[in-house]
Amino acid sequence: MIQLTIIRIEGYGQWTLTLGSDREAQLQMLQARIYRDVQRLFSERNSIVFFNRFDEYFAITNGLGADDHLHIQHELTKLYDNMSMSMTIGAGKTAFEANLNAYRTRKEGRRMMLDGNARIFGSVHPQADVAQIMHIDIDSSAKVGNRLSPYELTVLVMKIYSRLAEEFLKHDSLAFFLGGDNVMVISNGMAKEQADEVLKKVTAGNDIKLNCGIGIGKTGRRAAEAATKALDTIRDLREEGKIQTIYEIQCP
């Protein structure tokens, strides 16, 4: 089982209007700062955070209890006292199921009343102790960049990301774009063979090849570390003349 926490900036759209029309640069800087602080606070507790939208984040929070969430909420309130943030906790056998359970909890208004000011919905799940993450990148993206302008390469990467997100969702897995040519997928319950089928389907009909490192750990941060280590192993094997597009590492 995996536990996800969805962090949301409340009333963000309406709040941005109060800044006037010359607000975009200010908002971009603010969003980058909020993401940095949210990632830092969760990472300190062996969690990892992904952008869903710039006003919403998904964190893998296996092992985090009610007090951990409350502490992070208070820290964010101190840093951003002019805006309200909420958290919704959900768990499931797959990432999509955890996402759905968090959504339903929030919709039904079930709140974890830790104190009068906390906007934390749902409840923690001590049995959530497995996270599986896939770290995917484009094989030899530098060579692809030699024949495409920077913007054309971006369009290609976003097309691939969109296809990956659609195909992995069919397996109840959630894909998040990391920047560059990197995507991470929260893929609990998905087999290596299924991942291989998705990669082949997404790249069918073009000359793009994808590498996929799979990491399994008790927490999100450990699983992400193992996934990246697996991706690095694929590159190392290639230098030795061994071609392998999928590699899996499980943390002890």
Side-chain angles (χ1 to χ4, degrees):
M1 180 171 281
I2 187 169
Q3 177 176 286
L4 296 182
T5 301
I6 302 174
I7 305 98
R8 180 187 296 174
I9 305 173
E10 298 292 340
Y12 188 58
Q14 288 300 313
W15 177 78
T16 62
L17 298 179
T18 66
L19 302 179
S21 299
D22 185 23
R23 61 180 179 263
E24 200 53 46
Q26 185 180 168
L27 288 175
Q28 295 299 324
M29 290 185 286
L30 175 63
Q31 288 168 172
R33 185 158 60 92
I34 292 173
Y35 175 63
R36 179 198 65 188
D37 287 326
V38 170
Q39 185 71 271
R40 173 178 58 82
L41 289 165
F42 278 97
S43 177
E44 289 170 354
R45 288 164 173 78
N46 274 327
S47 300
I48 187 166
V49 179
F50 300 104
F51 269 126
N52 187 42
R53 298 190 299 270
F54 282 100
D55 61 345
E56 187 175 82
Y57 316 91
F58 274 57
I60 301 176
T61 54
N62 291 3
L64 265 64
D67 289 343
D68 295 302
H69 283 84
L70 184 57
H71 175 79
I72 293 172
Q73 178 77 304
H74 284 171
E75 289 298 309
L76 290 172
T77 299
K78 284 193 294 185
L79 290 169
Y80 304 98
D81 58 0
N82 61 336
M83 60 179 58
S84 175
M85 296 190 198
S86 67
M87 296 183 188
T88 309
I89 305 166
K93 293 180 180 179
T94 67
F96 184 68
E97 183 181 20
N99 153 78
L100 277 182
N101 287 333
Y103 168 72
R104 289 166 182 158
T105 293
R106 176 61 185 266
K107 193 173 182 181
E108 294 167 9
R110 295 198 299 268
R111 182 180 295 187
M112 183 195 303
M113 291 297 292
L114 300 178
D115 66 21
N117 297 317
R119 291 184 57 80
I120 302 177
F121 300 83
S123 58
V124 297
H125 300 264
Q127 67 273 34
D129 60 357
V130 177
Q132 178 175 297
I133 290 180
M134 297 180 182
H135 191 168
I136 299 169
D137 74 357
I138 296 176
D139 183 25
S140 303
S141 60
K143 292 181 181 178
V144 178
N146 288 335
R147 59 181 174 82
L148 295 176
S149 70
Y151 191 77
E152 288 174 308
L153 181 57
T154 297
V155 171
L156 173 64
V157 170
M158 295 311 295
K159 281 182 180 179
I160 292 172
Y161 165 59
S162 179
R163 289 290 313 280
L164 287 170
E166 290 175 359
E167 292 301 323
F168 275 112
L169 186 56
K170 295 175 183 177
H171 296 273
D172 284 353
S173 298
L174 307 181
F176 297 92
F177 179 60
L178 301 182
D181 64 350
N182 291 266
V183 173
M184 275 193 173
V185 184
I186 311 174
S187 56
N188 281 50
M190 192 170 177
K192 187 191 301 185
E193 293 74 20
Q194 292 174 306
D196 188 43
E197 290 175 6
V198 168
L199 300 188
K200 288 177 179 175
K201 185 173 183 179
V202 168
T203 58
N206 58 52
D207 60 351
I208 298 297
K209 297 186 184 303
L210 299 175
N211 299 318
C212 176
I214 303 174
I216 302 172
K218 291 184 177 180
T219 67
R221 187 171 172 183
R222 294 284 78 84
E225 179 185 15
T228 300
K229 188 179 292 184
L231 192 61
D232 292 340
T233 300
I234 292 172
R235 299 189 185 108
D236 293 340
L237 289 171
R238 182 173 293 107
E239 291 180 1
E240 298 173 7
K242 302 172 184 177
I243 305 302
Q244 190 163 341
T245 58
I246 298 182
Y247 194 87
E248 180 178 293
I249 292 178
Q250 184 163 355
C251 291

